[in-house]
Amino acid sequence: MTYLETAAEFYREVAETPEVGLCCVQSSPLQFPGLKIPLPMQEMNYGCGTTVHPTELINQPTVLYVGVGGGLEALQFAYFSRYAGAVIAVEPVAAMREAAIRNLEIAATENSWFHPNFVEIRPGDAFNLPVADASVDIVAQNCLFNIFEPEDLTRALTEAYRVLKPGGRLQMSDPIATRPIPTHLQQDEQLRAMCLSGALTYEEYTQRIIDAGFGQIEIRARRPYRLLDAQTYNLEANLLLESLDSVAFKVAIPEDGACIFTGKTAIYCGAAALFDDGAGHLLQRGIPAAVCDKTAAKLATLEPQQIIITDSTWHYNGGGCC
């Protein structure tokens, strides 16, 4: 079998016999007023973070969810877009589609506001999304793209870019590696299917997103995910995997490179009331201003005695320089 066939077989098995806590960060799913998440959905929470960011979900966007799993995040997206076909969930594994349909029917009995037709589940995969060009506001995936080998990841990112409307958002949660994963683990198809050996480093992961055409990336969370210990995985030293929640925007890449926001701020401490860098960035004296990493690097060299650059917080929710 190819590694994708191995992954499909693995997720067929866990669709039919759920494994609680299979690969998710040990935290409760997001709760919203009036939303009840059925227990089977919680048991099939095969994700490493969240792609559902409420501040992104005004005006009832159309969402394309890649890899429906047990339907948990599809239900959460439907909470914000309550109309037929608001969420299109694409899933290649028949058993997982069937499980998600059952779970969504349970959700309809437990949530008076929800109707199963809010979520349309379609067969398909990340490389050939069954929707038209520039037709959805959001593409989301949780703990799926990390399974792909690098060139397949590029195919999936490019396909997501194709179906997004201009200004649309790719919302992802994936494991990343704090150093390159050794070849012997990358080639272990079972570990790759379990989201333990396919992760790229942060730098490689974000560069793949930019190479697909996305001009702005915002990091919403970065936290420990799993430890590959040296003894079990035949490593020279322990290797930490992290969970990264990100939102990438389908906007043009600026001439000086894409903007990546990781929670850095710039603080002007000079004598004047304002600092103007001549490139569209105005800093009030003493007031932290959110800046992308690219702008932070430029300001740090422009006036190193008068501008303080704070460290990345690995959390950003808008209001920045670009």
Side-chain angles (χ1 to χ4, degrees):
M1 291 193 294
T2 68
Y3 84 95
L4 291 172
E5 290 171 331
T6 299
E9 175 61 19
F10 176 77
Y11 283 98
R12 182 194 63 77
E13 293 173 358
V14 299
E16 295 173 349
T17 307
E19 279 191 45
V20 178
L22 171 67
C23 63
C24 60
V25 172
Q26 298 304 306
S27 60
S28 299
L30 292 175
Q31 301 292 321
F32 301 114
L35 170 62
K36 184 174 181 181
I37 298 173
L39 181 60
M41 279 187 178
Q42 297 184 44
E43 292 176 343
M44 296 177 67
N45 183 22
Y46 303 146
C48 67
T50 185
T51 67
V52 183
H53 308 294
T55 56
E56 305 282 351
L57 300 176
I58 60 172
N59 299 323
Q60 300 194 88
T62 300
V63 179
L64 176 64
Y65 197 88
V66 187
V68 69
L72 186 151
E73 290 198 337
L75 175 65
Q76 291 174 327
F77 276 116
Y79 178 88
F80 295 93
S81 296
R82 303 183 182 187
Y83 58 90
V87 181
I88 302 165
V90 177
E91 173 60 56
V93 179
M96 196 65 80
R97 294 196 299 270
E98 294 164 3
I101 290 170
R102 289 195 302 271
N103 292 343
L104 290 167
E105 289 173 349
I106 296 170
T109 68
E110 298 181 357
N111 295 272
S112 60
W113 58 268
F114 177 70
H115 192 284
N117 71 10
F118 291 177
V119 180
E120 179 185 344
I121 299 178
R122 300 181 185 177
D125 60 47
F127 311 126
N128 297 282
L129 296 172
V131 297
D133 295 357
S135 60
V136 299
D137 299 298
I138 293 171
V139 174
Q141 69 83 24
N142 194 329
C143 213
L144 169 65
F145 282 17
N146 78 99
I147 292 174
F148 299 149
E149 292 181 350
E151 294 311 310
D152 286 338
L153 172 60
T154 293
R155 290 172 59 203
L157 292 169
T158 302
E159 184 68 352
Y161 187 91
R162 176 186 70 80
V163 304
L164 281 169
K165 298 175 183 177
R169 303 179 296 280
L170 173 59
Q171 303 185 184
M172 302 196 292
S173 183
D174 270 315
I176 57 172
T178 51
R179 69 174 189 273
I181 292 179
T183 302
H184 75 278
L185 294 184
Q186 292 182 38
Q187 294 176 344
D188 188 315
E189 295 181 356
Q190 189 73 7
L191 290 179
R192 183 177 283 273
M194 296 173 65
C195 303
L196 292 177
S197 69
L200 300 177
T201 64
Y202 168 80
E203 292 78 13
E204 292 170 325
Y205 183 80
T206 53
Q207 189 59 53
R208 292 269 171 178
I209 299 171
I210 294 167
D211 290 346
F214 293 91
Q216 182 167 315
I217 303 171
E218 300 178 359
I219 304 304
R220 299 301 165 83
R222 181 176 178 175
R223 53 195 176 275
Y225 168 65
R226 288 288 189 274
L227 183 73
L228 304 183
D229 68 272
Q231 182 174 356
T232 302
Y233 295 96
N234 191 24
L235 298 168
E236 294 182 359
N238 295 336
L239 198 166
L240 178 65
L241 304 182
E242 297 176 324
S243 171
L244 188 78
D245 293 356
S246 65
V247 179
F249 291 78
K250 186 177 179 176
V251 297
I253 299 176
E255 290 184 3
D256 60 349
C259 296
I260 303 179
F261 288 88
T262 62
K264 283 185 167 67
T265 69
I267 308 172
Y268 172 61
C269 57
L274 289 172
F275 174 82
D276 185 349
D277 72 346
H281 307 110
L282 284 176
L283 303 180
Q284 292 180 269
R285 185 177 58 224
I287 306 297
V291 292
C292 70
D293 291 6
K294 175 184 63 179
T295 296
K298 290 179 179 179
L299 291 173
T301 59
L302 189 63
E303 290 289 348
Q305 302 304 315
Q306 298 187 46
I307 298 177
I308 298 168
I309 303 298
T310 61
D311 294 335
S312 296
T313 61
W314 304 110
H315 174 75
Y316 175 80
N317 59 3
C321 65
C322 306

